[in-house]
């Protein structure tokens, strides 16, 4: 239990720091870079927020006596293993491409190196697809409700910010935050849907 | 829909996990069905009726 609380605290803390950093960079504070690139920062924010919410959900789930006795389903073990592998490969590809991009300025090679982290992203998508295929009907329903929640609120956020930008209330900034927003909102939607069916 | 799956399960001395294994679903799904938070699909309702050796109407009643 203590480890889970530590994970939540660390996840939320990292998410807040990275979100603030991403926002600072988006609004033009060049010296506020906590990580080398804004998109890396926003991805990191979304992903760590998602992990924190998932850990919080896990703690709530484990609070019931029968849930504590129930083993973790093999499909979730497989999913975590696949996702962890893909995430490690992604981080390695990000760091590797960052260094490789400094060695060349030829457009085609730069494009190829920039696409390097996409392969682990595909592995992440495969891990999610394989998990969804193995879900039972309630798990699938919770997944769908979480996806719809993330889609609806990301669309609301995008259009709201779009209006603000159109009328010059907000400056134009990178759209890399959208993916982070989807991840974070999916986590929130998932926690809400799990709570609904508890 | 209300149901008496919890009572039937207790009569057979099954845990939620045992029942979930027999239905090939997660324990969370069995829990949600028992509490009336989720109405199962027909295939699962038939599986439940098969496990408890009764008709679906004996397990589920409209509220």
């Amino acid at each position: 239990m203590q480890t889970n609380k530590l994970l939540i605290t660390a996840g939320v803390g990292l998410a807040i720091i990275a979100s603030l950093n991403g926002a600072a960079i988006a609004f033009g504070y060049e010296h506020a870079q906590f990580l080398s690139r804004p998109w890396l920062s926003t991805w990191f924010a979304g992903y760590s927020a998602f992990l924190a919410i998932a850990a919080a959900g896990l703690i709530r789930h484990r609070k019931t006596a029968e849930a504590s006795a129930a083993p973790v389903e093999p499909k979730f073990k497989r999913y975590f293993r696949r996702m962890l592998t893909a995430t490690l490969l992604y981080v390695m590809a990000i760091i590797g491409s960052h260094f490789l991009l400094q060695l060349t300025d030829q457009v085609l090679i730069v494009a190829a190196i920039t696409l390097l982290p996409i392969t682990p992203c595909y592995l992440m998508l495969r891990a999610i697809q394989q998990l969804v295929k193995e879900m039972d009907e309630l798990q699938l329903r919770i997944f769908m409700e979480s996806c719809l929640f993330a889609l609806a609120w990301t669309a609301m956020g995008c259009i709201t910010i779009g209006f603000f930008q159109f009328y010059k209330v907000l400056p134009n900034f990178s759209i890399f935050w959208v993916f982070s927003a989807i991840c974070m909102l999916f986590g929130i939607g998932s926690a809400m849907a799990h709570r609904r069916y508890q | 829909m209300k149901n008496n799956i919890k009572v039937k399960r207790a009569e057979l001395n099954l845990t939620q996990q045992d029942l979930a294994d027999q239905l090939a679903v997660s324990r969370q799904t069995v829990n949600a069905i028992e509490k009336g938070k989720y109405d199962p699909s027909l295939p699962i309702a038939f599986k439940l009726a098969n496990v408890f050796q009764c008709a679906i109407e004996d397990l589920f009643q409209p509220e």
Side-chain angles (χ1 to χ4, degrees):
Chain A
M1 187 65 82
Q2 288 304 317
T3 314
N4 283 340
K5 279 182 182 169
L6 194 69
L7 277 174
I8 288 181
T9 313
V12 170
L14 287 170
I16 291 170
I17 291 167
S19 302
L20 287 174
N21 178 63
I25 293 167
F27 284 97
Y29 275 107
E30 291 291 329
H31 301 292
Q33 292 190 12
F34 163 64
L35 293 167
S36 58
R37 293 177 187 185
W39 52 267
L40 187 58
S41 174
T42 47
W43 179 86
F44 186 64
Y47 204 75
S48 50
F50 174 67
L51 286 180
I53 291 161
L58 191 68
I59 285 181
R60 282 194 62 82
H61 174 68
R62 288 273 149 190
K63 271 184 181 171
T64 60
E66 247 186 303
S68 302
V72 177
E73 291 179 66
K75 63 186 169 206
F76 287 113
K77 283 185 184 170
R78 283 195 293 276
Y79 168 74
F80 285 125
R81 201 168 49 237
R82 287 171 187 147
M83 201 47 129
L84 187 67
T85 309
T87 306
L88 288 174
L89 285 172
Y90 181 77
V91 171
M92 284 164 65
I94 289 282
I95 295 168
S97 64
H98 180 71
F99 286 110
L100 287 174
L101 283 171
Q102 291 169 349
L103 302 176
T104 182
D105 54 358
Q106 288 189 335
V107 178
L108 281 177
I109 299 174
V110 168
I113 295 171
T114 307
L115 288 175
L116 211 60
I118 299 299
T119 313
C121 285
Y122 171 74
L123 293 177
M124 288 180 193
L125 282 180
R126 282 283 297 166
I128 295 169
Q129 278 178 337
Q130 282 166 332
L131 177 68
V132 168
K133 275 183 192 169
E134 291 176 303
M135 281 178 174
D136 70 28
E137 58 183 54
L138 177 62
Q139 289 168 334
L140 205 55
R141 186 179 176 135
I142 289 172
F143 183 83
M144 294 303 290
E145 285 184 15
S146 311
C147 284
L148 281 174
F149 180 87
L151 176 72
W153 284 102
T154 306
M156 285 283 285
C158 283
I159 203 159
T160 307
I161 291 171
F163 277 127
F164 279 134
Q165 287 178 335
F166 186 77
Y167 291 107
K168 312 287 183 207
V169 178
L170 284 177
N172 289 330
F173 49 79
S174 167
I175 58 163
F176 270 110
W177 63 270
V178 172
F179 179 62
S180 306
I182 291 173
C183 288
M184 192 179 72
L185 289 166
F186 178 85
I188 294 169
S190 182
M192 285 167 65
H194 270 101
R195 191 181 166 85
R196 197 174 306 130
Y197 294 109
Q198 249 177 7
Chain B
M1 299 278 277
K2 56 182 180 178
N3 67 75
N4 57 355
I5 291 169
K6 193 171 184 176
V7 177
K8 294 273 190 188
R9 181 171 63 80
E11 283 172 6
L12 291 183
N13 204 21
L14 292 172
T15 64
Q16 284 186 342
Q17 188 63 53
D18 295 334
L19 183 56
D21 291 341
Q22 290 196 41
L23 300 173
V25 297
S26 64
R27 190 207 57 83
Q28 183 195 14
T29 303
V30 171
N31 185 51
I33 294 170
E34 276 187 2
K35 289 188 173 174
K37 297 274 177 78
Y38 175 68
D39 295 328
S41 65
L42 266 179
I44 289 190
F46 274 109
K47 279 184 188 174
L48 279 164
N50 191 39
V51 168
F52 297 123
Q53 294 293 302
C54 62
I56 291 177
E57 295 90 327
D58 298 332
L59 290 174
F60 296 95
Q61 298 85 34
E63 281 184 300

